[in-house]
Amino acid sequence: MSTLHTGARTHRRVLPQPAALESVPADNPGVGTKRGTDIPRTAQAGRRDTGVQHGRGETTGGAPVPGGVAAVPAGRKPSSTKQHSATQQNRTTRITSSPKQSRFTADNAVVFVLDRHKRPLMPTDCKRAKKLLARGRAVVHRKVPFTIRLKDRTVDQSMLEPLGLGIDPGSQHTGLSLDKTVEAVDESTGEVTTTRTGLWLGQLDHRGQHIHLRLVARAQRRRGRRGRNLRHRAARNRNRSVRVGWLPPSVQHRVDSTMTCVTRLQSLAPIASLRLERVSFDTHAMTAPGISGLEYQQGTLAGTEIREYLLAKFCHRCVYCDATGVGTGSVPLNIDHLLPRARGGTNRVSNLVLACVRCNQAKGARSVDAFVTDGVRRARIKAEAKTPLRDAAAMNACRNRLAAELDATGLPVEWASGGRTKWNRVRNGVPKDHSLDALCVGAVDVIVRWVPTVLHIQCVGRGRYQRVTTDRFGFPRSHRPRRKQHYGFITGDLVKAVIPTGPKAGVYRGRVIVRSTRTFRLVTPTHRYDGINCRYMTTMQRGDGYSYKARPSLQRRLAPHGDQTKAA
Ligand SMILES: [Zn+2]
């Protein structure tokens, strides 16, 4: 960071200082300064070398939280006294409640099955998996997502049904859905109906924003260092460039973590095809004559596509009064015909604009020339309506790259639009949820049912490269250990701790945060426990950069496939 030793630091008023960096306690709750001034005397007594107590120091304040628990406010110290004062009553309740902590599987949730050579077979349910395990025909292969391996079966001896994987990429969350789609032909009419069953639902939580903030902090630190009054550094050549197809790290991360999930699911289930929601709307599906009224809201596929298209084209705004359809003070937006239908106006997209309810009613059956008196605005509305929205503008870089990477897997990929997803969702009465959106991606008529649990997969990273922690002026404060592994554990490992006696007696399962001392922190889906000695711990599953948590999935609100409308 700085060439000055911390002990001989210049007074902060003398030299131009960089902007204040992130606060140190936010990085390492419970860890004080190098001199240990922030640490209470009771906690300090047991520590020989404060400042190197922390492990890899994954951020817990404002950053993705391991185990999905609420973050402890920055600077809060681990209170050992509180845990010691736990009464006998608390102890017994904790022991009895501890089996409930393992929320990683639920009844009826899917269990992935591998054959004896670790190749994927058809997933099964919990009940059958329990039987197979009890009879000794299978062993547990992986805890999360729960996977068993059959000892007496190979792929060649099994019947496999092709499964599909739906992907609904988003900036913060990506929905994933492993499902089975079946086509049934009606003998009398020859009509083909596609039905889909959701076998596994997942939601991937990205940490793009976290990566962005870390990079901004690094840039600020470097900028501050450049302007500091240090030894002369010759200017470097401007010979640096980005390679073709470069994406910002926060965007690249979204592509990479999604592909990681796809690849891992491929190794757990017989996935035969992929479906990706690639664009918000499909311009080819919009050309349907004779759409009117409610159909734009909840009717045909073409109506939904047009609505999504217009929302994107006019940025969720009324063209007449600029009232917005999103955020605070939003108003409902209608679709308005520039030349009204009554006067021979068509349903072509170039004749459609967005209008708030008030403007739409005030305009009535008048044409835009009669309604808008402001000549400038009138010309602008007409020009905007005529301009086609380029598809490329609606697709962002992330989705394009993801599409290319999915293509490279060699599996058939179906490109779908967000308009179709919404249409499928509304007419099947499927609630709005990231993972259920993934279930609705692509061409489908009826969505029969889906599993009752969603697996939350949260990107938490594998630590950071930075070994020196700095104070808020950019001066080195302490050094992290070079090793990631301490006593056989790495931060992020899923462990089981069995504590036989003492105030913390009980059985705990969760992610571990390692320390260079022997006492680790354990994060369960509901609590965090500090100061657990590593000799009580056994590894259930190695850390893989993600934390997992199961939650109940949303269930259908309307009658199943009530108002079905066939695609136009
Ligand atoms: Zn308006």
Side-chain angles (χ1 to χ4, degrees), residues 318 321 356 359:
C318 168
C321 71
C356 68
C359 293

